Amino acid sequence: MNYAIREQLLEEVDEKYKNFQYTLIPNTTNILGVRLPILRKMAKEIAKGNWQDFLRNSHEDYFEELMLKGIVIGYVKLGIDEKLQWVEWFVPKISNWSICDSFCSSLKITEKDRKKVWDFLMPYLNSTNEYEVRFGIVMLLNYFIEKEYIVMVLRLFNSIKHDGYYVKMAIAWAISFCFIHFPSKTLKFLYNNDLDDFTYNKALQKIIESNRIEPETKEQIREMKRKAK
């Protein structure tokens, strides 16, 4: 299986896409340049077969080989408890924002048992590992910007104190989505929070950049920017 999957990946290399990815994912030197829809198609096929052997024994030398494992975990048909065991197995392997975010978006099973996944995510938000914290934040962004969770989600974003760039950017991105879906609650939060200036101003920037925000609201948000001290 190892050989066949790598051969398939090598056949799908797109040099222009590879060069583009290198501009987006710093400090990553093992990108082949295979587009995500192709990886998803491959993952669906792997998930129908001996996916356990693939996850445990196949290569992880290339960016796409690891990405493929994360997507397979999302696609395999498992109960929530077994699925979360594989999620726990995979998260320590995450080494960049792209694999993190694609992995999170594949975990649709979260929608079937949000309470269990919520409890599962909490330790990651307190991790010292940048990408483990980002994993927790992006999962909240993808599945928990909901009426029953929004206040708790904003409170969690306020409590995260990791200095990693990709943690701060994830929080800013997530807050902008909170604003789109729950503007009054998020605005109240933006007026009273403990976010560092970089994260806070990035959140405002991402809100302003959204096409789903009215121009007059964007003007209000611009006025809220914290000035350099």
Side-chain angles (χ1 to χ4, degrees):
M1 179 182 277
N2 283 349
Y3 177 78
I5 288 170
R6 179 167 288 183
E7 284 297 299
Q8 190 175 349
L9 289 170
L10 291 171
E11 288 172 4
E12 298 289 353
V13 167
D14 181 328
E15 289 294 331
K16 286 185 178 179
Y17 184 62
K18 176 170 72 173
N19 294 334
F20 173 66
Q21 280 191 300
Y22 273 127
T23 67
L24 294 178
I25 311 171
N27 306 315
T28 302
T29 59
N30 62 343
I31 298 172
L32 288 172
V34 180
R35 292 180 180 272
L36 192 54
I38 293 170
L39 294 177
R40 292 196 183 282
K41 184 177 179 181
M42 290 176 64
K44 286 180 180 178
E45 289 304 311
I46 294 167
K48 295 175 185 175
N50 189 1
W51 56 268
Q52 295 99 327
D53 178 62
F54 167 74
L55 292 177
R56 292 197 183 280
N57 299 316
S58 67
H59 298 302
E60 298 175 2
D61 302 321
Y62 290 112
F63 166 88
E64 286 83 356
E65 289 174 329
L66 186 57
M67 176 79 83
L68 202 51
K69 288 190 177 187
I71 299 171
V72 166
I73 290 169
Y75 283 148
V76 291
K77 296 186 183 305
L78 298 170
I80 188 67
D81 291 327
E82 191 175 358
K83 179 82 77 167
L84 291 178
Q85 288 175 9
W86 281 105
V87 172
E88 186 176 13
W89 173 85
F90 184 79
V91 169
K93 298 175 180 290
I94 297 172
S95 58
N96 62 67
W97 68 264
S98 181
I99 286 176
C100 174
D101 296 4
S102 293
F103 180 52
C104 291
S105 69
S106 74
L107 297 175
K108 307 294 187 189
I109 194 172
T110 301
E111 296 167 357
K112 296 181 179 179
D113 197 338
R114 280 190 173 87
K115 177 64 172 67
K116 180 161 285 190
V117 177
W118 173 273
D119 293 340
F120 173 82
L121 293 175
M122 291 305 105
Y124 290 105
L125 299 173
N126 295 314
S127 174
T128 57
N129 180 291
E130 181 173 11
Y131 292 107
E132 290 189 358
V133 183
R134 184 179 175 99
F135 164 74
I137 295 165
V138 177
M139 286 295 290
L140 294 178
L141 161 62
N142 283 350
Y143 304 107
F144 292 93
I145 300 181
E146 301 281 342
K147 183 177 179 180
E148 61 268 39
Y149 287 99
I150 184 61
V151 172
M152 292 185 290
V153 164
L154 289 168
R155 193 177 298 140
L156 285 171
F157 293 157
N158 195 51
S159 69
I160 295 169
K161 302 304 176 191
H162 196 288
D163 286 332
Y165 173 81
Y166 291 102
V167 168
K168 294 175 184 287
M169 291 299 286
I171 293 173
W173 177 34
I175 289 172
S176 73
F177 270 75
C178 291
F179 190 89
I180 290 166
H181 295 284
F182 297 94
S184 60
K185 285 183 170 61
T186 309
L187 187 62
K188 182 179 178 181
F189 167 75
L190 288 170
Y191 275 118
N192 183 22
N193 62 78
D194 299 314
L195 298 173
D196 64 89
D197 290 350
F198 175 86
T199 306
Y200 172 83
N201 285 335
K202 275 294 178 185
L204 299 188
Q205 178 186 328
K206 289 183 177 296
I207 292 168
I208 292 165
E209 289 172 352
S210 172
N211 294 326
R212 291 187 273 181
I213 305 296
E214 295 297 324
E216 57 269 25
T217 303
K218 291 185 180 185
E219 200 53 45
Q220 178 187 3
I221 297 298
R222 282 192 186 93
E223 294 298 320
M224 295 171 62
K225 184 177 179 179
R226 292 178 187 163
K227 310 300 186 205
K229 296 175 182 177

